[in-house]
Amino acid sequence: MKINKNYLNLKDSYLFSLIGRKVREYKEQNPDKEVISLGIGDVTRPLVPAVVEALSKASFEMGNKETFRGYGEEQGYGFLRQAICGYYKKKGVDLTEQEVFISDGAKSDLGNILDIFETDNTVLIPDPVYPVYVDTNIMDGRKIIFMNGNEENNFLPMPDYKVEADIIYICSPNNPTGAVYGKEALKEWVNYALKRDAVILFDSAYESYIQDEKLPTSIYQIEGAKKCAIEFCSLSKTAGFTGTRCGYTVIPMELIRDGVPLNKLWLRRQTTKFNGVPYIIQRGAEAVFSDTGLGQIKENIAYYMENARIITDTLKKLGIWFVGGENSPYIWLKCPKNMLSWEFFDYLLTNAQVVGTPGAGFGNNGEGFFRLTAFGDREKVITAMERIKNLML
Amino acid sequence: MKINKNYLNLKDSYLFSLIGRKVREYKEQNPDKEVISLGIGDVTRPLVPAVVEALSKASFEMGNKETFRGYGEEQGYGFLRQAICGYYKKKGVDLTEQEVFISDGAKSDLGNILDIFETDNTVLIPDPVYPVYVDTNIMDGRKIIFMNGNEENNFLPMPDYKVEADIIYICSPNNPTGAVYGKEALKEWVNYALKRDAVILFDSAYESYIQDEKLPTSIYQIEGAKKCAIEFCSLSKTAGFTGTRCGYTVIPMELIRDGVPLNKLWLRRQTTKFNGVPYIIQRGAEAVFSDTGLGQIKENIAYYMENARIITDTLKKLGIWFVGGENSPYIWLKCPKNMLSWEFFDYLLTNAQVVGTPGAGFGNNGEGFFRLTAFGDREKVITAMERIKNLML
């Protein structure tokens, strides 16, 4: 019996454990100081009332013989897939129910989608980025190349036709940088993918944070994208579902490679290795897309975006370079005085008792940068920004 | 961009769609006849009150800022893993929390576990069996060999030391045959696996249906199993969770191959490609393992097992050979008069308006056999058996 040796090539990520250890040690040595975390990538506002009501109602349905539900379709209930088609319709994107797959979250699908691709494809991944794109491909032994995000391109790297990539990851709004591609830039990526018969894996987990109506909230708003892109989205950040677990993946019927619709391959994968999302959770997700639900989640998003505005206002006052924060809950700043990521981490923790995430943890190009998030409490965000202003003005 | 060509080697399964079509056509031609299905592999009794209460309570917790939960640990909450350790303790099996992984069901984990094994391992799969063992390995291009279940071995094939297998699937109580391995037989499989340094993937999804206290309900009741077996279980059939989705996988720390604990590899897989089961669902699952919950699910299992008794009594009266039904919700019978599986299907549908599942759909060795399940309504089971007796006595 041989294990998958590719796993031995994975690097352990010490990012969040190291942050935890440093904060713990600081608190032990400074028990009187209040430490504020703006490093967290998790929501803090509870589920909205429309969702809680739907979850509770569905729970009781499951206890009643007449309304009990056993196995559902692996790809999700029609009621939820239709609600998602309706959500896309408002974005100007026409989808059929068969093109939408319900999942337990974007992370699962972004990892599992690789099952349907040969391991000898070359993968193009932004640097810096969400670490699981890299790790899931290392597990399969795929060749990984990087596209460089940096200050010059505002962390929005563009295609280079000399680069021979088969699978391209794009995350917009980006985690960790908060940078968002415009329509023209995405169109260039679609053209590149179409030219190479490549496939774009488009992670739109943060689309609901886009405020600027000119920015695309789905890659399918770009002509030609249905022939080259799979879109992954999640209710985690849209509706506070990080602990409730529901997402969706869109594979348009027009997306065909080697003569086979990828939709059909993914359907086969999911019906064989997945049994669908809990009925109760799908009812909660359906409520997100109701008029009441959409109104309620909009308030939560507005709350987080006001936090982001407070953070970016502070950075502007301090003359610190940053991207993100305007159409994203993430703010990506350049460490002042040319500090390295971890230097700035220690500096902020020690002098302002504020915790963020060192950019170096998201890839080589993240060195010298730092991520703040807007998911905290308003009062704490205000206090943290006052401390930073006092320290650095 | 190349697709995973192994997918092209998958055979489409027409089993359940063909059953559906035949039943539909029969009903159209015989609108006055009441057709009873004993083919269904899904539960029909609702969730028990203890579970519904926990689900509903957790739903409300998620709507409250103080009790809201974001991301949990990918491998599951401690409260549920501890409850499962407690459940195993009663079976005489000591497990630590780190050895238990919570999942959305056995099907997902049985498929995804293959990620941690090289594709050049040889896989040994019972015939007949649950079809996804075969399909998930075809997707990875692994070499598959079969062990023959048949009338002579009561559909409990034993190891053959001439066979060189690296990964061995055992499902006990078996789906579709309902056959259950005794301790001595399982010990032989464990010895074989230990001798070859192979790994047993032990599917115990139906363990809670075992009535005979001498039969093992976990492979870890067998000495040496912790060094060679991974156990997959689910609340789907134990507690009616087919639409609620929660299962668990046990990987003992002692299980080491190529110098690496498989527990560590699986933890890496899950933390990279999974984000855990919904908090709400984990609270529902926790309630299953409470004294109240265990008492309530026992009643449901007793209900199904009484259905099974009614079915097996009928088969005994008719002198029809069968296995299962005594420690399993599945009854696997030999088609009378040497009928083929689909012949008997048509015969029962046409003459008794009873639907079952042709054994041929579960592998070559299933030809000439037929599966009935105990998951139906009591009244309908009784009616179906009366019709069969009238037809065949």
Side-chain angles (χ1 to χ4, degrees), chain A residues 2-4 7 11 42 47 62 71 74 107 112 115-116 118 121 243 258 268-269 271 274 279, chain B residues 2-4 11 42 47 62 71 74 107 112 115-116 118 121 243 258 268-269 271 274 279:
Chain A
K2 279 157 277 177
I3 64 164
N4 177 352
Y7 273 61
K11 288 191 198 97
D42 195 358
L47 296 182
M62 293 297 277
Y71 290 118
E74 288 90 344
K107 186 180 173 189
N112 293 334
D115 281 14
I116 68 170
E118 283 290 0
N121 287 297
D258 291 330
R268 192 60 155 100
R269 194 272 170 205
T271 51
F274 187 55
Y279 169 71
Chain B
K2 278 157 277 175
I3 64 165
N4 177 353
K11 289 190 199 99
D42 195 359
L47 296 182
M62 293 297 277
Y71 290 119
E74 288 90 345
K107 186 180 172 188
N112 293 334
D115 282 14
I116 69 170
E118 283 290 2
N121 288 297
D258 291 329
R268 193 61 155 100
R269 195 272 170 206
T271 53
F274 187 55
Y279 169 71

Side-chain angles (χ1 to χ4, degrees), chain A residues 283-294:
Chain A
R283 281 293 185 200
E286 182 192 24
V288 170
F289 296 104
S290 68
D291 288 342
T292 315
L294 287 173

